[in-house]
Amino acid sequence: MHRTQFRRAIAGTSSLPPDLSAWLLDLEAAFLARPSPRKRLHDPAFQDRSLSTV
């Protein structure tokens, strides 16, 4: 994927291809199902956010 396409998807001005979007949602689900045992509770990267809301 071209970085411009990715940047626009993150900005919300375009969307990801359906196959990539589905893969990212599956990856998110797997990560949430088996989080790191060394998860830092106050790290902003681990705050309660979902890719499906981005």
Side-chain angles (χ1 to χ4, degrees), residues 3-27:
R3 77 173 75 169
T4 300
Q5 182 183 10
F6 184 69
R7 181 178 42 81
R8 288 177 181 160
I10 290 174
T13 58
S14 70
S15 60
L16 295 172
D19 59 334
L20 183 55
S21 179
W23 178 78
L24 286 170
L25 290 171
D26 288 346
L27 187 62

Side-chain angles (χ1 to χ4, degrees), residues 23-40:
W23 178 78
L24 286 170
L25 290 171
D26 288 346
L27 187 62
E28 176 192 30
F31 176 80
L32 293 174
R34 287 191 52 94
S36 170
R38 297 182 185 201
K39 180 177 174 181
R40 295 176 293 183

